[in-house]
Amino acid sequence: PHIFPTRRSSDIVSDMLYTKKLDHILPSLYGIIMLVVPISAVPSVFFLWNSPLSLEVKLVSYLLFMEVTITYLIMVNLTALKDYMKIVKAFSWGVGLTLAFSYVFLWFTSLDTVLGMIIAMNIGFLVLISLLHAYLKSFFKTSSLKGPRKYFYFLTYFDRFYSLFFMSFFYTLGLYIHNFLFWSSSLGVTISSTYVYAPLYDVPSFY
């Protein structure tokens, strides 16, 4: 779902910064979110639909996936500004609150452990998104463009540089296809008949 709008968003933001079109950046971010979130929702719903997980865990897992998606989209815009300390501070708040709520849910409530941990992560990511968005709003102006055009200005780059779509597609394919190969091999481990990972490969490849 993130092939074109996200992999090249950093280049688009850099171009807007270079050409001084700062008022286009924030609306374009909103447009990318409006485009990517519904697209991402479709496979996630199908993925969780037949899962044996409880409805509560499915709902908070779905919400977490949406929050992670939005966080990634915002991060693409923020990294173009290269103000990494603000990013670190926002993540510190998010992680800190996640750990704090995890402790509370684990020791002072009767919530299921998995459900409580995911809810804690949802809270942490919500705070993280709020802080990152507040920083973006403080830096960028609102667009002078009116109507849908201001939110989907980034799509004009697709018309002019359609090859970016194919570059992004194969780039993304190269980044993740090896994971699917190992997950489907004898190294794959299934959790709750839903999630699959390969610990012997995923851990070293992540670090």
Side-chain angles (χ1 to χ4, degrees), residues 16 21 23-32 34 143-157 160:
M16 291 179 181
K21 296 179 180 178
D23 59 334
H24 287 36
I25 295 177
L26 199 57
S28 290
L29 171 62
Y30 296 152
I32 291 173
M34 286 188 283
S143 177
S144 57
L145 298 175
K146 302 299 182 181
R149 182 186 172 193
K150 70 177 182 179
Y151 294 114
F152 299 102
Y153 176 79
F154 67 93
L155 291 177
T156 61
Y157 284 79
R160 287 180 287 168

Side-chain angles (χ1 to χ4, degrees), residues 90-205:
F91 269 92
S92 297
W93 274 103
V95 171
L97 286 173
T98 297
L99 294 175
F101 277 100
S102 296
Y103 180 81
V104 171
F105 292 148
L106 186 62
W107 294 104
F108 300 103
T109 71
S110 58
L111 279 175
D112 174 74
T113 301
V114 173
L115 180 61
M117 296 303 99
I118 300 177
I119 292 176
M121 291 183 67
N122 277 320
I123 296 172
F125 268 100
L126 179 61
V127 171
L128 172 62
I129 290 170
S130 300
L131 292 174
L132 294 178
H133 178 249
Y135 171 54
L136 278 175
K137 286 194 68 175
S138 69
F139 190 88
F140 297 119
K141 305 173 183 177
T142 55
S143 177
S144 57
L145 298 175
K146 302 299 182 181
R149 182 186 172 193
K150 70 177 182 179
Y151 294 114
F152 299 102
Y153 176 79
F154 67 93
L155 291 177
T156 61
Y157 284 79
F158 181 80
D159 293 332
R160 287 180 287 168
F161 310 106
Y162 62 88
S163 59
L164 289 177
F165 174 84
F166 299 102
M167 292 170 59
S168 299
F169 174 77
F170 290 111
Y171 174 71
T172 305
L173 192 65
L175 280 178
Y176 296 110
I177 194 171
H178 58 93
N179 294 102
F180 289 94
L181 293 175
F182 278 95
W183 293 341
S184 60
S185 71
S186 59
L187 296 176
V189 177
T190 303
I191 302 175
S192 299
S193 301
T194 304
Y195 301 104
V196 180
Y197 79 122
L200 290 178
Y201 178 76
D202 289 345
V203 173
S205 66

Side-chain angles (χ1 to χ4, degrees), residues 13-25 141:
V13 172
S14 297
D15 180 67
M16 291 179 181
L17 289 171
Y18 179 77
T19 56
K20 307 299 182 183
K21 296 179 180 178
L22 301 184
D23 59 334
H24 287 36
I25 295 177
K141 305 173 183 177

Side-chain angles (χ1 to χ4, degrees), residues 1-6 32 35-44 65 69 73 172:
H2 310 158
I3 289 175
F4 176 75
T6 60
I32 291 173
L35 177 66
V36 171
V37 167
I39 294 175
S40 301
V42 175
S44 63
F65 177 62
T69 299
L73 295 172
T172 305

